Amino acid sequence: MESSKGKFIVQILGNNLDAWKKDKMHLQFALLDYLRKIKFPYKTPSPIRNIFGETLFYLFGEHLWVYRYIEGEVKKEIGKEEFLEISRAVATFHKLTKRFHEKDKGDYNNLAWQKEKYDLVKNAPVKNDLDKLMHENILLMQYYLDKLALLNYGKYQVVHSDFNIGNVLFKKGKIIGILDFDNVIFASR
């Protein structure tokens, strides 16, 4: 979107923003704010607040957020130098976010959403051989999910979890920006 104030990206989240998605957006915005405050060396989306100080808007039946357009090129293919640039960017991200903490980490890294999906599959009617195979193995999968939930994973750190060439902006062979923090989670170090 372009206006007299410049170019902007409008990210539409849809008309239904449940509690889980709101929590994810809160984590994403908190991380983006943290990166700005610590002067992260790469440009990242910076949510623009409305006159009420809100970063999430509800407009024309859709939830959305807005950030300033970041100039750069998304590469379709990369060579060794670009690969090394991305590796350095990932290392820099992890080094600088070690001290980033959000109070509700458990909501971002538990296995509840997977258990919920397995419950849906378990209760779905069997229509074909694949459904039958899923039903035959669902209890085994739930058993392993329960075991994973009991593990102590140690210290947690925030991770981008979608770091790929489509989310990296280049200019003259160097990374200038990192995009798409929608899937940010806390994971074991």
Side-chain angles (χ1 to χ4, degrees):
M1 176 176 94
E2 202 163 341
S3 77
S4 61
K5 304 221 182 219
K7 288 183 179 179
F8 300 89
I9 299 295
V10 177
Q11 187 166 355
I12 298 172
L13 304 170
N15 60 4
N16 183 17
L17 202 60
D18 60 20
W20 179 82
K21 185 64 177 173
K22 283 181 184 176
D23 284 347
K24 290 288 284 183
M25 296 306 299
H26 170 77
L27 176 62
Q28 177 181 346
F29 292 163
L31 176 62
L32 291 170
D33 189 49
Y34 177 81
L35 292 172
R36 184 184 52 74
K37 285 178 182 173
I38 65 165
K39 298 185 181 359
F40 187 58
Y42 306 99
K43 294 178 182 178
T44 59
S46 184
I48 295 173
R49 296 184 181 279
N50 65 14
I51 59 172
F52 305 108
E54 302 165 326
T55 50
L56 282 176
F57 313 110
Y58 189 74
L59 190 62
F60 304 118
E62 301 281 355
H63 292 276
L64 54 95
W65 67 286
V66 179
Y67 62 92
R68 216 169 260 295
Y69 181 80
I70 303 170
E71 291 285 341
E73 172 191 5
V74 174
K75 302 252 183 184
K76 294 194 188 305
E77 293 181 18
I78 59 169
K80 182 179 178 182
E81 288 306 312
E82 289 97 352
F83 178 79
L84 291 172
E85 274 288 310
I86 291 173
S87 300
R88 285 189 284 274
V90 170
T92 301
F93 176 81
H94 288 140
K95 179 181 177 185
L96 294 177
T97 57
K98 277 185 184 176
R99 290 191 171 86
F100 174 74
H101 298 287
E102 274 294 296
K103 58 183 179 253
D104 298 320
K105 284 189 259 190
D107 293 341
Y108 304 111
N109 58 24
N110 67 27
L111 303 169
W113 68 273
Q114 290 168 317
K115 289 180 184 181
E116 198 175 289
K117 295 296 181 197
Y118 281 113
D119 284 343
L120 287 173
V121 171
K122 184 169 62 177
N123 297 324
V126 176
K127 296 179 185 171
N128 54 43
D129 288 342
L130 182 58
D131 290 350
K132 183 180 176 188
L133 183 63
M134 287 292 291
H135 274 262
E136 290 169 356
N137 292 290
I138 201 78
L139 291 177
L140 178 64
M141 294 306 295
Q142 285 181 317
Y143 170 80
Y144 284 116
L145 281 174
D146 291 341
K147 291 291 183 192
L148 285 171
L150 297 175
L151 292 176
N152 178 359
Y153 293 98
K155 292 183 177 183
Y156 286 93
Q157 178 171 344
V158 70
V159 294
H160 185 281
S161 80
D162 195 16
F163 220 110
N164 66 69
I165 61 172
N167 291 330
V168 178
L169 295 174
F170 286 88
K171 194 172 197 176
K172 297 180 183 175
K174 300 288 182 193
I175 294 177
I176 58 142
I178 299 169
L179 305 173
D180 194 4
F181 288 79
D182 293 356
N183 295 315
V184 101
I185 60 168
F186 280 94
S188 180
R189 281 192 192 172

